[in-house]
Amino acid sequence: MKRGTTVDATADDWTRRAAALRLAGAHHIDGSAHEGGAVFAVVSPRDGTVLAEVADAGAAEVDLAVAAARRAFDTGPWPRLAPAARGRALLRFADLVEERRADLALTVSLEMGKPVRDAYEVELRALLATLRWYGELADKLADASPHTTPEALALVAREPTGVVGAVVPWNFPLTLAGWKIAPALAAGCTVVLKPSERSPLSALLLARIATEAGLPPGVLNVVAGDGPVAGRALGLHPGVDVLAFTGSTAVGRHYLRYAADSNLKRVWLELGGKSPNIILPDAPDLDLAAATAAWGIFFNQGEMCTAPSRLLVHSAVAERITEAVVERARRLRVGDPLDPATEMGPLIGPDHLERVRGHIRGAVDAGARLRTGGEPLPAGTGGSYLRPSVLDRVPADSRLAREEVFGPVLSVHTFDDLDEAVALANATDYGLAAGLWTSDLSTAHRVSRALRAGTVWVNCYEEGDLTVPFGGMKQSGNGRDKSAHALEKYTDLKTTWIRL
């Protein structure tokens, strides 16, 4: 591949490419650009510069997008295509995304601060895998014909639900969009996607690529705007049949209310997390456990719903593990996301930086010990950079121990026996993910069953592929992304009973 188009390129290569990148800010409705009226600025957390002026959707633009999706579903070809044809369309879409991979990765890096290497190798790899997996799955699903009496024939069919409203956050703008749109499109639904107002540019580019790949007009629409206006309009819209949301628990409650106040649309929520990572003395590799704990909390600047933000470590190995994580935090390379050598970029913006620092200050005031970090990088970059932070002696009832921080901040807690560890792990309103490190097979099974979490990783963290579902328990939400189970959100079961 040519130099300058992949992460083999240098920081200068990526910077030059960024200067030449043309970031279009129009909505994508019914297969074409729609400027709208008002605009808002998308500011890069890298250096505080304005990347683009983006069309700001109000109720009128949401109406246009939903109407386009409704026409495409009610009278267009997409739901009526053979599943294999929809699958081929998704595979063509993936191929064109692959061709534009560098531009998409660069856009993600500029708009939300993800290191460009991670944007290219992780974010885009996940999007491509998702589009291809559902493209290949589209014609592998079967309806059912249950055995009944000899005088009747029963048929149970899965039919596409209709218009899907998808609302996704800024931390993984393309991965999470892919987890929504790929199964919805494979099922035969049409989609109106609202990305976060902090990271709309990559989603708008993705929609243009979808049209270039041959998706019919109205099948995938993207409107940019904030949650209180555009998100609310989508949640309340009577033309939306299903609403799929990833974001905070507080905003998820709003979407449930919007559904109750409108057409009782189904609402699927993937919400926050405060994930525990339990390390026992018999972990097969304590050094690997410590390295993974550090990687997990600092990857993507800690702006990750599954981040293992609570390290629960047995007192026998607590200091060894904590010191290893602290040392890794101090060595972590924080800086310009366009430098492929950067390991952690900036937080999403100055407001979020101050919020995260407030959590750290509050924990210290409550009695926690700051082992490293807590301070922003020296002024002069114009970006929102924070040093990776580790705190121990964190009170179990403190805000840091109970609330989602969404930043590179690790709270360390110790325990003396397994029952105490499980109780600490479950002492949260969230239930998205958890980690466990042990060499004992029985312990692995018993603790995994006891943990109230949608995903439990044993002797690893953030592993998996498209074959397994992803989602949470308790206030971490409902429904599942990924795997064949995701199609359940976007299909209706229809029974046909024929008397013979």
Side-chain angles (χ1 to χ4, degrees):
M1 300 182 75
K2 294 181 180 178
R3 180 177 174 81
T5 61
T6 75
V7 289
D8 295 327
T10 67
D12 287 342
D13 292 329
W14 283 110
T15 301
R16 284 193 293 270
R17 191 181 186 100
L21 190 64
R22 296 294 174 261
L23 298 168
H27 307 301
H28 193 82
I29 299 174
D30 211 15
S32 61
H34 181 88
E35 294 291 343
V39 297
F40 64 93
V42 176
V43 177
S44 176
R46 173 182 177 240
D47 54 11
T49 60
V50 174
L51 293 172
E53 297 285 339
V54 175
D56 192 1
E61 287 77 18
V62 172
D63 280 344
L64 287 173
V66 173
R70 186 85 265 163
R71 286 193 301 274
F73 184 79
D74 289 346
T75 63
W78 187 255
R80 294 157 190 85
L81 288 177
R86 287 200 298 270
R88 288 192 295 271
L90 285 173
L91 294 175
R92 286 196 302 272
F93 184 12
D95 289 343
L96 199 52
V97 167
E98 183 74 77
E99 290 180 19
R100 303 292 298 277
R101 183 172 182 170
D103 284 344
L104 284 162
L106 180 58
T107 303
V108 168
S109 187
L110 290 170
E111 68 184 351
M112 61 75 56
K114 191 189 304 288
V116 72
R117 180 179 294 276
D118 291 339
Y120 189 94
E121 293 183 350
V122 180
E123 181 101 15
L124 266 297
R125 174 172 53 83
L127 173 63
L128 286 163
T130 302
L131 292 172
R132 287 171 174 150
W133 199 84
Y134 285 103
E136 292 167 355
L137 181 68
D139 65 343
K140 308 299 189 297
L141 304 172
D143 294 334
S145 179
H147 289 286
T148 61
T149 68
E151 293 78 26
L153 173 65
L155 304 174
V156 180
R158 281 199 175 273
E159 298 184 348
T161 299
V163 174
V164 173
V167 182
V168 297
W170 44 262
N171 59 326
F172 287 90
L174 294 182
T175 298
L176 298 178
W179 285 5
K180 304 286 192 275
I181 65 177
L185 294 177
C189 295
T190 57
V191 179
V192 178
L193 172 67
K194 192 204 85 65
S196 167
E197 65 273 18
R198 293 183 184 264
S199 60
L201 296 167
S202 56
L204 292 168
L205 176 55
L206 184 68
R208 295 196 298 276
I209 293 172
T211 295
E212 292 170 16
L215 265 66
V219 169
L220 177 60
N221 310 274
V222 177
V223 290
D226 67 11
V229 178
R232 181 176 185 272
L234 195 60
L236 287 169
H237 205 290
V240 174
D241 300 297
V242 172
L243 195 292
F245 170 75
T246 295
S248 72
T249 300
V251 176
R253 296 180 193 276
H254 286 298
Y255 281 104
L256 290 174
R257 295 187 188 104
Y258 298 153
D261 291 341
S262 57
N263 60 341
L264 292 177
K265 59 178 65 65
R266 276 168 285 175
V267 177
W268 301 106
L269 303 173
E270 193 273 282
L271 306 176
K274 191 67 179 175
S275 300
N277 187 22
I278 303 170
I279 300 179
L280 299 177
D282 71 339
D285 187 334
L286 286 172
D287 291 334
L288 177 62
T292 305
W295 171 84
I297 187 58
F298 302 133
F299 175 70
N300 208 53
Q301 300 76 250
E303 296 166 330
M304 188 164 62
C305 55
T306 54
S309 55
R310 291 186 296 147
L311 179 59
L312 310 185
V313 58
H314 194 281
S315 56
V317 293
E319 185 54 32
R320 172 182 172 179
I321 295 294
T322 304
E323 185 56 39
V325 173
V326 167
E327 180 59 29
R328 285 184 173 271
R330 290 172 178 161
R331 295 201 314 264
L332 202 68
R333 181 164 178 169
V334 183
D336 184 358
L338 297 192
D339 184 347
T342 292
E343 296 172 284
M344 195 178 94
L347 300 186
I348 188 64
D351 55 336
H352 188 56
L353 172 62
E354 283 309 304
R355 177 182 174 276
V356 172
R357 293 187 66 199
H359 274 284
I360 296 170
R361 290 191 294 265
V364 171
D365 291 343
R369 178 174 61 167
L370 181 63
R371 296 287 296 265
T372 190
E375 294 298 324
L377 290 181
T381 63
S384 301
Y385 297 87
L386 179 69
R387 297 187 187 279
S389 306
V390 179
L391 299 94
D392 63 3
R393 302 176 185 172
V394 179
D397 60 351
S398 66
R399 288 180 60 226
L400 184 63
R402 302 184 66 84
E403 296 181 12
E404 186 175 40
V405 176
F406 224 61
V409 182
L410 180 66
S411 65
V412 181
H413 309 261
T414 61
F415 61 88
D416 294 314
D417 62 67
L418 205 51
D419 289 341
E420 183 186 2
V422 171
L424 281 170
N426 287 335
T428 172
D429 292 332
Y430 298 108
L432 188 57
L436 173 66
W437 296 79
T438 180
S439 292
D440 188 284
L441 183 61
S442 294
T443 297
H445 282 293
R446 288 200 310 271
V447 175
S448 296
R449 290 178 179 180
L451 294 173
R452 294 284 293 158
T455 299
V456 179
W457 288 288
V458 179
N459 297 329
C460 61
Y461 208 89
E462 287 293 341
E463 300 286 346
D465 58 25
L466 269 297
T467 63
V468 293
F470 176 83
M473 299 178 180
K474 300 192 287 188
Q475 292 186 33
S476 287
N478 55 54
R480 293 296 183 266
D481 288 325
K482 297 172 55 187
S483 82
H485 294 284
L487 293 166
E488 297 166 9
K489 300 192 297 187
Y490 308 116
T491 53
D492 288 319
L493 289 175
K494 176 181 284 186
T495 295
T496 302
W497 187 278
I498 303 172
R499 183 178 180 183
L500 300 179

